Amino acid sequence: MVRANGAVSLRELARVVQTSEVTVRRDVRALEAEGLLDRRHGGAVLPGGFTRESGFPQKSHLATAEKTAIADLAAGFVEEGEAIVVGAGTTTQELARRLARVPGLTVVTNSLLVAQALAHANRVEVVMTGGTLRGSNYALVGSGAEQSLQGLRVTRAFLSGSGLTAERGLSTSNMLSASVDRALVQAAAEVVVLADHTKLGTDTMFQTVPTDVITRLVTDEPPTDDDRAATELQALADQGVQLSVASAAAVPGERQPPEPPSAGPGHAGAGRQQQRRGGVTLPGQRGNRQNNGGSPGPAPSLRGAAALPDQAPGRVADLAPRRR
């Protein structure tokens, strides 16, 4: 499966071979010891280290259920009449499909796949950057793309990447893609990163978004035995990144806009309750890059993502990052 797709998630492997993820993880370690593949957090890829990047066909088959859940949750943060930028990637492509129903929306993108997903959305205006086509991910890159973003200002940027760590933030394996992503970030007041659990703890060659610039991470709930992902999520929350955790098992519903935050002690983000279908929202210390003040009260640790509070399906539990 790794040779055919370039990458595969442990969840998908366990489903195909009808065994537990614990068993699959043990077998993947044995295959890595033989040099047949490289383990990545929550999955495995062909050997290649920091410089290797899977193409679109390979990425489109990796963590598909997780990407769908992430896209469903992220779409709820987009409101009518907004102007946003959406970067290239299979997860952002899933997001774009859900944005087609948002009236008055303006989407600036360097991704042909994102533009294609919105091509028939009559109420959405799509603005493409210039640049040179990079065929492996159907994205426009280079100086033309970067120059077309100069002077642009939008409310939010939605970006994906190859890896995400609390230490370096979001990263990718391609220098040209990283440069355009940085230009997209400069155009936005807030930065929302879309990354499934297989990318948590993975560090790739070129940094695109430092951790202190990320406003929110939308991800899926890691497997119960995935301590590394849980640790990374806690570290991100400790640095003030707001975490919205989607359930891949949730049934996708109709897009719902975010509810306005309720007033509470501490600062504007403290104590707020946000409803998301099939997701868990964990506000961080930072609402956006312009508002870093205040400090939330003490909160439970995120250590072990499976230890989230019990909740009815579709309900949301609000937690804040652990204070140091």
Side-chain angles (χ1 to χ4, degrees):
M1 290 179 64
V2 173
R3 285 172 177 165
N5 299 321
V8 68
S9 70
L10 295 181
R11 283 178 177 169
E12 181 67 11
L13 281 172
R15 184 189 66 81
V16 170
V17 301
Q18 297 183 348
T19 187
S20 69
E21 290 187 29
V22 175
T23 299
V24 168
R25 182 173 282 108
R26 183 173 62 245
D27 293 343
V28 166
R29 289 195 188 102
L31 291 170
E32 183 182 44
E34 297 178 20
L36 297 175
L37 49 75
D38 286 346
R39 280 190 299 155
R40 289 291 180 267
H41 198 44
V45 299
L46 288 175
F50 279 95
T51 59
R52 181 177 179 84
E53 181 183 28
S54 300
F56 171 75
Q58 291 78 23
K59 290 181 179 180
S60 63
H61 291 95
L62 180 62
T64 54
E66 290 84 350
K67 291 174 182 177
T68 298
I70 290 169
D72 286 335
L73 187 55
F77 294 103
V78 181
E79 300 177 353
E80 296 183 8
E82 269 195 282
I84 63 174
V85 295
V86 180
T90 53
T91 310
T92 52
Q93 180 189 24
E94 287 294 327
L95 171 64
R97 289 169 177 155
R98 287 146 181 82
L99 298 181
R101 300 189 297 270
V102 183
L105 185 66
T106 300
V107 177
V108 180
T109 184
N110 69 319
S111 170
L112 299 187
L113 298 176
V114 169
Q116 183 184 42
L118 295 168
H120 300 291
N122 295 328
R123 297 178 294 178
V124 178
E125 181 178 1
V126 180
V127 179
M128 294 288 298
T129 69
T132 303
L133 177 62
R134 184 166 178 259
S136 61
N137 64 346
Y138 301 94
L140 298 173
V141 297
S143 59
E146 296 171 39
Q147 290 173 9
S148 66
L149 293 167
Q150 292 180 2
L152 180 70
R153 193 63 174 168
V154 298
T155 55
R156 293 182 184 88
F158 291 87
L159 297 176
S160 187
S162 302
L164 177 65
T165 66
E167 181 180 0
R168 289 187 71 215
L170 190 67
S171 61
T172 186
S173 301
N174 182 266
M175 181 174 63
L176 293 176
S177 295
S179 185
V180 174
D181 282 353
R182 286 192 287 267
L184 291 172
V185 168
Q186 290 298 317
E190 297 182 5
V191 178
V192 181
V193 171
L194 311 182
D196 63 77
H197 73 275
T198 66
K199 298 177 181 177
L200 297 177
T202 298
D203 197 5
T204 54
M205 198 168 182
F206 299 98
Q207 183 191 55
T208 56
V209 189
T211 305
D212 61 355
V213 177
I214 300 174
T215 307
R216 182 182 297 274
L217 166 64
V218 185
T219 187
D220 62 292
E221 186 174 348
T224 56
D225 60 343
D226 198 340
D227 293 337
R228 183 179 174 186
T231 301
E232 206 67 52
L233 284 176
Q234 182 65 66
L236 288 164
D238 287 344
Q239 295 195 36
V241 178
Q242 299 180 35
L243 306 180
S244 297
V245 183
S247 172
V251 178
E254 184 179 352
R255 189 193 70 86
Q256 293 184 342
E259 293 185 359
S262 58
H267 64 89
R272 64 182 169 187
Q273 299 291 325
Q274 293 176 314
Q275 300 261 339
R276 297 280 182 269
R277 279 188 199 270
V280 179
T281 301
L282 298 92
Q285 298 172 342
R286 178 171 76 245
N288 54 49
R289 283 188 284 170
Q290 286 74 38
N291 182 16
N292 295 327
S295 60
S301 169
L302 183 65
R303 187 71 179 88
L308 294 172
D310 292 335
Q311 54 182 314
R315 297 290 297 175
V316 172
D318 287 337
L319 301 178
R322 182 177 56 199
R323 296 186 65 185
R324 294 186 176 181

